[in-house]
């Protein structure tokens, strides 16, 4: 049971390039999330998904796109990278209950992205 | 909107001291959940505790304890007899539910340094 895995661990992009951050979970969680963490700023939600085929914007979605074709995978796409997207990106997953019991999120190890 | 305030940006203690990390929250939800996460220098986010708003009992887990006070909207975290391995950034988080979805709102974190 690997939990939540993310690839790559590190990446340097040039301004204007695009890339996809991969996230996979093997816990059969229906909820998945993407956060970015900037120094001293905590975590901010970029996008989330409550199940395959369903995604929604979080607090800071501009410059990003997501898709959720399977329960396990939730890739994050950066189009036209900008220096403001330099950050550490975390993927997370959690169990979602129809009765709205809010369960803890399990996080991947993170991807450190630098845009220069 | 939900809000989590961790007023202590950084705390430094000497090993074996007790230390309390403060967390104050704002919410309009009648049912909500509070969490604490630990982020050691290695960068991963580790889940510590989940507490729902109907359970105001304090919780103790080894050297860790949590004090939940609904009257003051606080969910403070105490480490007893701190150790160097406790050095980390600690995040408090609050659930937010909108239209059936589930999201977490994080505080900015408190960096704890335990010196030998």
């Amino acid at each position: 049971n690997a939990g939540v895995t993310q690839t790559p661990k590190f990446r340097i992009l040039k301004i204007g390039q695009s890339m996809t951050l991969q996230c996979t979970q093997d816990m059969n969680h229906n909820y998945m999330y993407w956060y970015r963490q900037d120094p001293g700023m905590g975590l901010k939600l970029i996008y989330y998904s409550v199940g395959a085929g369903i995604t929604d914007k979080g607090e800071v979605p501009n410059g990003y796109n997501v898709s959720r074709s399977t329960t396990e995978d939730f890739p994050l796409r950066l189009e036209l990278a900008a220096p403001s997207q330099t950050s550490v990106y975390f993927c997370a997953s959690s169990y979602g209950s129809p009765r709205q019991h809010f369960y803890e999120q399990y996080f991947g190890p993170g991807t450190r992205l630098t845009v220069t | 909107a939900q809000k989590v305030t961790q007023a202590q940006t950084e705390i430094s203690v000497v090993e074996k001291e007790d230390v309390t990390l403060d967390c104050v929250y704002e919410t309009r939800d009648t049912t909500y959940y509070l969490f604490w996460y630990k982020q050691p220098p290695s960068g991963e986010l580790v889940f510590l505790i989940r507490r729902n708003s109907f359970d105001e009992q304090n919780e103790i887990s080894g050297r860790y304890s949590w004090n939940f006070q609904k009257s003051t909207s606080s969910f403070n975290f105490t480490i007893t007899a701190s150790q160097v391995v406790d050095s980390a950034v600690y995040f408090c988080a609050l659930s937010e539910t909108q239209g059936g979805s589930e999201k977490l709102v994080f505080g900015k974190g408190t960096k704890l340094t335990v010196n030998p």
Side-chain angles (χ1 to χ4, degrees):
Chain A
N1 193 332
V4 181
T5 57
Q6 291 182 238
T7 56
K9 290 186 179 178
F10 304 94
R11 182 73 185 266
I12 299 174
L13 278 183
K14 294 190 184 302
I15 295 171
Q17 286 185 323
S18 299
M19 76 164 293
T20 299
L21 280 65
Q22 302 292 345
C23 175
T24 300
Q25 55 93 7
D26 63 359
M27 297 174 282
N28 202 31
H29 287 164
N30 48 337
Y31 284 65
M32 295 188 74
Y33 309 81
W34 273 105
Y35 293 91
R36 59 177 288 172
Q37 184 180 26
D38 300 319
M41 296 300 293
L43 283 87
K44 293 191 175 179
L45 183 65
I46 304 171
Y47 271 96
Y48 66 98
S49 168
V50 302
I54 306 170
T55 62
D56 208 346
K57 296 178 181 178
E59 185 182 358
V60 289
N62 291 343
Y64 308 94
N65 276 301
V66 293
S67 59
R68 183 102 181 266
S69 57
T70 67
T71 299
E72 297 77 19
D73 301 306
F74 190 40
L76 176 71
R77 178 82 177 160
L78 279 73
E79 305 282 1
L80 298 174
S84 61
Q85 293 178 304
T86 294
S87 189
V88 180
Y89 291 85
F90 288 97
C91 178
S93 72
S94 70
Y95 174 68
S97 165
R99 291 182 297 167
Q100 297 294 317
H101 291 281
F102 205 115
Y103 292 95
E104 59 273 17
Q105 295 180 10
Y106 292 92
F107 285 79
T111 295
R112 186 173 295 274
L113 176 67
T114 302
V115 183
T116 61
Chain B
Q2 326 291 74
K3 184 179 179 182
V4 175
T5 301
Q6 294 181 257
Q8 304 150 308
T9 305
E10 293 193 38
I11 300 175
S12 181
V13 300
V14 176
E15 215 171 10
K16 298 185 183 177
E17 284 186 25
D18 298 348
V19 58
T20 295
L21 310 182
D22 297 333
C23 173
V24 175
Y25 62 92
E26 297 175 27
T27 181
R28 293 182 180 177
D29 292 342
T30 53
T31 301
Y32 52 90
Y33 291 80
L34 292 156
F35 301 80
W36 276 94
Y37 283 85
K38 174 182 180 180
Q39 187 176 40
S42 51
E44 74 272 23
L45 281 143
V46 179
F47 164 72
L48 295 178
I49 189 170
R50 164 183 175 257
R51 169 69 73 210
N52 81 47
S53 52
F54 294 109
D55 182 2
E56 290 193 66
Q57 278 194 332
N58 291 334
E59 176 134 355
I60 298 175
S61 176
R63 296 184 296 107
Y64 294 173
S65 62
W66 290 269
N67 182 281
F68 176 32
Q69 292 201 342
K70 230 171 167 177
S71 60
T72 56
S73 297
S74 65
F75 187 42
N76 297 336
F77 173 30
T78 297
I79 301 175
T80 303
S82 60
Q83 299 176 1
V84 173
V85 294
D86 296 326
S87 296
V89 180
Y90 291 86
F91 292 97
C92 181
L94 169 69
S95 66
E96 176 177 319
T97 55
Q98 293 181 0
S101 297
E102 302 181 346
K103 296 186 284 187
L104 272 183
V105 175
F106 283 82
K108 293 185 178 181
T110 297
K111 182 178 181 180
L112 174 66
T113 302
V114 181
N115 298 299

